[in-house]
Amino acid sequence: MLNKLRNKFIIILLSFTSIVLILGTIAICAILYKTELDNEDLRLTQIIEESVNNVNNMPNNEEGYVPPEIGGRSPEKPMNNPVSVFMQNEIGEAIIPVSAFTTATISQNVLSSVQDKIINSENGIYVLEDSGLVIKKLYQRDKYYIAISDIGNITYWKNIFWPLVFGDIAILLIFFVLSIYLSKWSLKPVKESWDKQKQFIADASHDLKTPLAVIMANNQILETSKDKLISEEMQWIDSNQSESEKMLELINAMLDLARIENPSLTKQELLKQFETINLSNLVELCCLQFDSVAFERNLTFNVNVEKEIFIYGIETKIANMIDTIISNSFKYAPDKDTITVNLKTNNKWAIIEMCNEKSVISKEDLPHVFDRFYRSDKSRKRADEKHQSHGLGLAISKSIVEIHGGEISVKSSAQQGTAFTVKLPIKK
């Protein structure tokens, strides 16, 4: 699916670029052609006006001057600016050369082929592609004057057309290469999210399938023991209860994450749930329930809380976040480890630090600690119940911190252990 999306992105980008380049090339050539034609119109009009006013300063007045030939679309002829000037006779049946202002000659064949068109045309400028001529007809002092120049004067746009086309092709090739790179770059977060979702579906399916299989097996055993007392079959009933609780835990975790990251929940709606929280009391309360766990596992558990620190937020969510991170610290703490929870302030922040001195997160796993559905225990062995996890707790904790305008981070090294740091804005 992502490959199809990527190909569609490339096709759309190249199609849009092609349309822009084609329209750009057409616009450049059209504007250049129109400019050349307007300039030629102005030049021929000036020549006709000079002819009418008898201004004899044209180069053909020089002795021995041979006017060049124009028209005919001969490939050997260079582009030039000479002009032939004619006057339409009084009965409108022929055009008569005005030799004093003619700086170019036209072959009789070419002139014969365009004479009728010239006589029957109105005032204006005309381009005769077949004859290779530009004709300007102007009514001055009760007569029609005609100035004729070579079409080469307005064909510069043709000289740049193919360079523009080749330039467009080069730009398309560059955009093709860029589109491949950009499609990979733009779809990278989508691919990562897609992969995580697929991994989550596989993990959730496994975590739901296994307890369901156990429950079904237990039920089959119970069905074969209909004559026995309930007290004799409590181990199977207790097993069903335990497996049901595991499924409920996973489902609740997924629902919590969905609620927290619900895009339809606006900031105003979220703020309605906020209240003043005594963070100092909340941290102490959360830590209190782990004292017995530390004692049973022979762990040193230190709690240092600065008094009277208040924040603004949802108390149940903050408590859930603190419980999750402390529980995570206990879960992966080796025997005789030291776990420390600190609460202090720094300017506008309330800072909660939860540290394990001996627990270390690998460099490979550290960047993914807060990723949704990520778990370092890839083997997923149910026998290791101590480390069993759905991979959602820390992702939920990060979302909780972020909706409260805070920050969460983790550092881990063999020398200093693992430390989670949560920063929440203090209530002003």
Side-chain angles (χ1 to χ4, degrees), residues 21 31 61 81 84-85 101 126 128 132 213 221 274 278 333 366 377-378 411:
L21 290 175
I31 292 171
N61 291 327
N81 293 321
S84 287
V85 181
F101 294 91
Y126 304 93
L128 304 180
I221 294 172
F274 278 33
N278 188 325
L366 194 60
D377 52 331
K378 301 296 184 182
K411 295 181 180 179

Side-chain angles (χ1 to χ4, degrees), residues 19 33 64 67 93 149 165 181 243 303 344 367 374 395 401 409-410:
I19 292 172
Y33 174 76
E93 294 182 350
S149 66
V165 169
Y181 171 77
E243 296 301 328
V303 180
K344 58 186 179 180
Y374 184 84
V401 172
S409 61
V410 60

Side-chain angles (χ1 to χ4, degrees), residues 328 359-371 374-376 394 398 408-414 417-420:
N328 192 73
S359 177
V360 179
I361 301 173
S362 68
K363 291 182 179 179
E364 293 77 16
D365 293 326
L366 194 60
H368 305 287
V369 164
F370 298 108
D371 289 356
Y374 184 84
R375 292 191 298 185
S376 60
L394 291 177
K398 181 181 179 184
I408 186 170
S409 61
V410 60
K411 295 181 180 179
S412 187
S413 66
T418 299
F420 285 86

Side-chain angles (χ1 to χ4, degrees), residues 285-352:
L285 185 62
C286 290
C287 291
L288 185 62
Q289 62 184 321
F290 289 95
D291 284 340
S292 60
V293 180
F295 179 78
E296 290 174 2
R297 293 187 52 196
N298 195 23
L299 299 173
T300 301
F301 187 35
N302 299 320
V303 180
N304 305 303
V305 175
E306 184 178 322
K307 300 299 182 180
E308 300 302 312
I309 298 177
F310 293 90
I311 64 170
Y312 199 56
I314 305 172
E315 185 170 349
T316 55
K317 299 297 183 186
I318 297 295
N320 177 264
M321 177 269 296
I322 296 171
D323 285 342
T324 298
I325 299 177
I326 296 177
S327 176
N328 192 73
S329 299
F330 274 85
K331 183 185 296 183
Y332 293 98
D335 292 338
K336 299 182 180 180
D337 193 4
T338 298
I339 299 173
T340 302
V341 176
N342 297 319
L343 173 61
K344 58 186 179 180
T345 57
N346 181 10
N347 296 326
K348 63 178 183 178
W349 297 104
I351 301 174
I352 308 172

Side-chain angles (χ1 to χ4, degrees), residues 234-246:
M234 282 304 297
Q235 59 176 322
W236 311 117
I237 297 174
D238 290 342
S239 177
N240 283 350
Q241 180 67 23
S242 175
E243 296 301 328
S244 299
E245 289 174 355
K246 289 175 183 176

Side-chain angles (χ1 to χ4, degrees), residues 37-218:
L37 189 61
D38 290 344
N39 291 338
E40 190 69 3
D41 186 9
L42 180 61
R43 189 174 75 92
L44 295 179
T45 299
Q46 290 175 344
I47 290 174
I48 290 175
E49 290 174 349
E50 289 175 353
S51 301
V52 173
N53 294 326
N54 295 317
V55 180
N56 296 318
N57 58 358
M58 306 302 287
N60 62 321
N61 291 327
E62 298 177 6
E63 185 177 351
Y65 176 76
V66 179
E69 183 178 329
I70 60 173
R73 306 299 289 150
S74 173
E76 291 82 12
K77 292 177 184 177
M79 182 181 74
N80 46 57
N81 293 321
V83 178
S84 287
V85 181
F86 294 85
M87 181 178 64
Q88 190 169 310
N89 64 12
E90 294 180 357
I91 59 176
E93 294 182 350
I95 54 176
I96 305 168
V98 181
S99 58
F101 294 91
T102 293
T103 59
T105 61
I106 304 176
S107 69
Q108 191 61 41
N109 291 335
V110 174
L111 189 60
S112 299
S113 65
V114 301
Q115 182 169 276
D116 290 340
K117 295 179 182 178
I118 295 172
I119 292 172
N120 296 325
S121 63
E122 300 295 332
N123 274 2
I125 188 166
Y126 304 93
V127 179
L128 304 180
E129 288 279 352
D130 295 338
S131 303
L133 296 173
V134 178
I135 298 171
K136 172 66 178 181
K137 188 173 183 180
L138 189 64
Y139 190 74
Q140 292 278 316
R141 296 186 183 182
D142 299 328
K143 292 181 181 179
Y144 281 105
Y145 287 85
I146 300 99
I148 304 175
S149 66
D150 194 87
I151 200 172
N153 295 331
I154 60 169
T155 56
Y156 177 71
W157 67 271
K158 293 183 178 180
N159 297 334
I160 68 167
F161 176 77
W162 286 112
L164 285 175
V165 169
F166 290 130
D168 291 345
I169 294 173
I171 292 173
L172 273 178
L173 291 175
I174 293 172
F175 265 82
F176 176 70
V177 175
L178 286 176
S179 64
I180 292 176
Y181 171 77
L182 288 174
S183 64
K184 289 182 179 179
W185 176 76
S186 61
L187 289 177
K188 185 178 179 180
V190 178
K191 185 178 184 304
E192 290 176 353
S193 178
W194 180 261
D195 291 340
K196 289 176 184 177
Q197 294 287 1
K198 288 196 298 183
Q199 184 62 45
F200 165 70
I201 292 172
D203 290 350
S205 299
H206 183 280
D207 284 351
L208 289 172
K209 179 181 178 181
T210 303
L212 282 172
V214 173
I215 291 171
M216 291 174 66
N218 292 342

